Amino acid sequence: MEKEVSEKTIVKPYNRDKSSKKEEVAEMFNNISKRYDFLNHFLSLGIDRRWRKKGIRRLREIEPKKILDIATGTGDFAIAALKLNPDEVIGVDISEGMLDVGIEKMKRKGHDNVITLKLGDSEDLSFEDNYFDALTVGFGVRNYENLEKGLADMLRVLRPGGKAIILEFSKPKKFPMKQLFGFYSKRIIPFFGKRISKDERAYAYLPESVAAFPEGQAFLGILTKVGYSKVELKKVTGGIATIYSGIKKA
């Protein structure tokens, strides 16, 4: 029988006794920031781009003008959001290394007139209440130190009627995708991740954090608990990832 992992399990990149998950996550992304974009697209075979596009399409109906991308990394989800013709996109992340790469990317692509990337804590956002029309998070919520606190603070800065889109890895349940993804995430990703990023733990942490994340209906339950309404999920690519959505009550 497959071992079940409690949603209370705390999985950290380096598993040090005297450092918090938040500190270790920031350190990990700083360590791999220079190779992150290459590895992300290489190891996902480019499918991650399609997942983001699908997430952005779910925001079209509300025509958001102010968008916040949390755990923005190097800004890929923020760039995808430009399809919605927003007036302002702000990306926040706790890793200065990732932001440095992202800021250079925005300048290179000519997006820095709309997209602003800044250092920020997803669990303590430095924005006023009800400011944003939409929120996006790509592969970030499983890295939160306090998941409920982070989701609640996201809701705080979302305007009534605004919508949150959360893209996160999940665990396929059916043959053969379950077996293929299990092998790929536990063997292939750590193998190449370690050699290319030079950080042995970073890509071993990925399958560990996915296994510990309360996915599917459990995550929808948490969204509802902290105050989101009309919560929904859409599995993509055989359940490798899931697009979650929720709305702030008007």
Side-chain angles (χ1 to χ4, degrees):
M1 180 180 293
E2 186 175 347
K3 183 179 179 181
E4 292 293 326
V5 181
S6 166
E7 67 179 78
K8 298 298 184 182
T9 301
I10 298 176
V11 176
K12 302 190 294 184
Y14 306 110
N15 292 315
R16 302 189 189 110
D17 292 335
K18 295 184 179 181
S19 57
S20 68
K21 179 174 181 176
K22 191 176 298 183
E23 291 169 335
E24 292 195 15
V25 166
E27 178 184 348
M28 178 189 73
F29 282 113
N30 284 337
N31 289 343
I32 67 175
S33 59
K34 301 299 183 186
R35 305 297 292 165
Y36 177 81
D37 277 349
F38 170 77
L39 273 167
N40 198 29
H41 302 315
F42 171 71
L43 293 173
S44 72
L45 307 177
I47 299 173
D48 62 302
R49 292 186 176 96
R50 284 192 294 171
W51 294 340
R52 289 187 186 89
K53 288 179 181 178
K54 288 183 177 182
I56 292 301
R57 283 200 290 269
R58 290 172 173 266
L59 291 174
R60 281 180 179 169
E61 61 183 2
I62 66 168
E63 300 181 345
K65 292 304 177 184
K66 295 179 179 179
I67 301 173
L68 177 64
D69 183 39
I70 300 170
T72 192
T74 63
D76 281 347
F77 222 159
I79 292 173
L82 294 178
K83 290 289 186 181
L84 300 169
N85 297 313
D87 296 330
E88 177 183 30
V89 181
I90 298 177
V92 297
D93 202 279
I94 60 172
S95 167
E96 293 187 65
M98 295 288 277
L99 290 171
D100 288 343
V101 174
I103 289 169
E104 287 303 312
K105 183 195 294 186
M106 298 309 156
K107 291 178 180 176
R108 188 172 67 251
K109 292 179 175 289
H111 298 323
D112 54 324
N113 61 324
V114 179
I115 299 174
T116 302
L117 303 185
K118 57 177 64 179
L119 196 65
D121 184 344
S122 58
E123 297 170 32
D124 188 17
L125 296 165
S126 59
F127 304 103
E128 62 188 74
D129 296 358
N130 308 315
Y131 184 80
F132 293 98
D133 302 309
L135 306 177
T136 56
V137 192
F139 312 110
V141 294
R142 76 178 189 284
N143 296 322
Y144 286 8
E145 188 165 86
N146 186 320
L147 180 58
E148 290 188 14
K149 182 181 178 183
L151 294 172
D153 207 46
M154 287 163 51
L155 187 64
R156 176 185 65 79
V157 302
L158 190 63
R159 68 160 172 82
K163 191 171 187 178
I165 294 293
I166 299 169
L167 172 61
E168 191 51 85
F169 286 114
S170 47
K171 302 178 284 293
K173 305 297 189 293
K174 296 181 180 180
F175 176 87
M177 191 59 76
K178 176 181 177 180
Q179 288 73 18
L180 288 171
F181 181 70
F183 175 76
Y184 191 75
S185 65
K186 294 176 183 177
R187 296 287 184 268
I188 303 299
I189 289 177
F191 177 83
F192 284 104
K194 173 184 176 181
R195 282 154 180 79
I196 297 173
S197 73
K198 307 302 181 184
D199 188 313
E200 183 173 355
R201 278 292 304 157
Y203 287 87
Y205 165 74
L206 173 61
E208 294 170 2
S209 62
V210 172
F213 183 69
E215 62 172 313
Q217 292 299 321
F219 186 63
L220 290 186
I222 296 171
L223 287 173
T224 300
K225 178 183 177 183
V226 300
Y228 292 84
S229 66
K230 299 181 181 179
V231 296
E232 298 177 341
L233 65 79
K234 173 67 176 178
K235 294 182 180 181
V236 290
T237 315
I240 292 176
T242 303
I243 301 170
Y244 302 93
S245 63
I247 292 175
K248 185 170 183 175
K249 297 176 184 178

